[in-house]
Amino acid sequence: MLPENVSDVLTKAQLYQTFILDKEEDIDKLHNFLFSESKYDCYCIKCSKETTFQIVINSTPKIIGGKIIREPNLVRLQGVHVIISKCLRDSTHRMLHVFYGKDTTVIKIGQFPSTADITNQESKKYRKILGDEKYREFSKAIGLASHGIGIGSFIYLRRILEGLIEEAHNVAKEAAPEWDEEEYRQARVTDKIAMLKEYLPKFLVDNKGMYSILSKGVHELSEAECIEFFPAMQIGIELILDERIETLEREEKLKAASRNVASILGKLKS
């Protein structure tokens, strides 16, 4: 199935992820995106920031008898295609994606820079929140997924989620006046998240089913299914961490502002 945002086939799809084009509109959508000067947003590892890329058209139309032959879109998608994109900040910064089309199936078979290279650059901001060990696990999850290892990537994402839940649990034990440790110990993880709603990021509380998906991936889903679901799980983890970063930054601003006010008052009194 083609993603709703067609640019995700370049920016989020993992290696060997397969897209089934069972609708005419999906065939046209993918064809028109890949074979025109389409623009999309992606992190540029050379600019070290989010930027806009544009696909460089590097193929010539088929000409027979002096006339351009318009092949059906599905026919043109057959075989191997190398898609080159240029960064609009600096056209020497390039991305390369390789696809293989057979019948109504299109497979992503190559990419440079890799999804892991791009995402690991973007995710450096989470090191402060996760700590070195959990940050390495997050990077491993991304790296495994980028090489088509879905179940292993889910294991690491679940460990990160469990770490965040346990951190909140430790706070709740000390802060909650009527905390029932025995009830918590016997509860399912999704129920534990509900019990910790005052101490966990809102996105996790509202989407506690993420843990169930990750656990199902570890125990029941296929590699292909885990790879298909990985981008959604990664974004979910990042949103949880973003919320933690916002909270931390707000707390630091409040402390700094309080110190500044106290300093000014001290000067005025003197």
Side-chain angles (χ1 to χ4, degrees):
M1 181 179 178
L2 200 66
E4 183 176 345
N5 185 351
V6 69
S7 67
D8 286 357
V9 299
L10 299 186
T11 60
K12 292 186 171 61
Q14 308 298 333
L15 279 186
Y16 307 111
Q17 187 167 341
T18 299
F19 302 97
I20 306 298
L21 307 177
D22 53 1
K23 298 178 182 177
E24 193 70 33
E25 61 192 69
D26 285 344
I27 294 171
D28 295 339
K29 189 176 180 181
L30 183 60
H31 171 277
N32 295 339
F33 177 75
L34 295 180
F35 297 114
S36 64
E37 296 179 338
S38 304
K39 295 178 182 178
Y40 60 92
D41 293 330
C42 187
Y43 188 88
C44 177
I45 64 171
K46 292 188 176 181
C47 292
S48 297
K49 63 178 65 178
E50 187 86 6
T51 189
T52 299
F53 281 83
Q54 183 175 34
I55 293 176
V56 178
I57 302 302
N58 57 0
S59 60
T60 56
K62 181 181 288 186
I63 300 176
I64 298 178
K67 293 183 178 180
I68 296 177
I69 305 302
R70 303 290 182 186
E71 295 179 308
N73 290 347
L74 184 58
V75 172
R76 197 174 178 200
L77 284 168
Q78 303 302 297
V80 177
H81 300 280
V82 179
I83 308 300
I84 299 172
S85 307
K86 63 181 179 181
C87 170
L88 293 185
R89 292 179 184 274
D90 186 331
S91 62
T92 65
H93 299 171
R94 299 292 177 106
M95 290 188 68
L96 182 149
H97 299 85
V98 187
F99 293 90
Y100 173 68
K102 181 175 174 56
D103 299 326
T104 56
T105 299
V106 173
I107 306 171
K108 184 177 184 180
I109 61 173
Q111 176 174 330
F112 181 83
S114 71
T115 303
D117 289 338
I118 295 168
T119 310
N120 284 336
Q121 288 292 324
E122 291 182 285
S123 64
K124 283 182 178 179
K125 63 181 179 179
Y126 300 126
R127 185 189 290 270
K128 183 176 181 180
I129 292 294
L130 289 172
D132 290 341
E133 182 179 350
K134 290 298 181 187
Y135 175 74
R136 282 194 296 271
E137 291 182 353
F138 189 45
S139 298
K140 284 180 181 178
I142 295 167
L144 288 172
S146 71
H147 288 87
I149 304 173
I151 296 171
S153 69
F154 267 43
I155 290 172
Y156 282 112
L157 289 187
R158 189 176 71 165
R159 282 170 58 88
I160 291 168
L161 213 55
E162 288 171 342
L164 293 170
I165 294 168
E166 184 56 26
E167 284 179 19
H169 171 220
N170 290 332
V171 173
K173 283 193 297 185
E174 301 298 325
E178 298 179 356
W179 181 257
D180 189 332
E181 184 63 20
E182 183 60 24
E183 180 186 358
Y184 180 84
R185 189 180 65 81
Q186 295 182 11
R188 298 177 304 172
V189 174
T190 50
D191 294 330
K192 289 178 178 180
I193 292 172
M195 291 174 69
L196 295 168
K197 64 182 180 180
E198 301 298 326
Y199 307 93
L200 285 169
K202 187 176 185 299
F203 183 86
L204 176 54
V205 175
D206 293 344
N207 296 274
K208 53 183 176 289
M210 278 182 63
Y211 186 86
S212 300
I213 295 170
L214 291 172
S215 291
K216 195 174 184 69
V218 171
H219 298 293
E220 299 178 34
L221 299 182
S222 66
E223 292 282 11
E225 287 172 318
C226 289
I227 288 298
E228 179 185 351
F229 302 148
F230 181 84
M233 295 298 98
Q234 178 186 340
I235 290 171
I237 295 289
E238 288 176 351
L239 285 170
I240 292 166
L241 297 176
D242 286 340
E243 199 170 328
R244 288 280 301 274
I245 289 172
E246 289 173 9
T247 300
L248 182 62
E249 289 178 345
R250 177 173 173 77
E251 289 174 354
E252 290 175 348
K253 281 185 179 181
L254 286 170
K255 290 177 182 177
S258 296
R259 287 195 300 268
N260 290 337
V261 169
S263 175
I264 292 170
L265 287 173
K267 290 178 180 179
L268 292 176
K269 286 179 181 179
S270 61

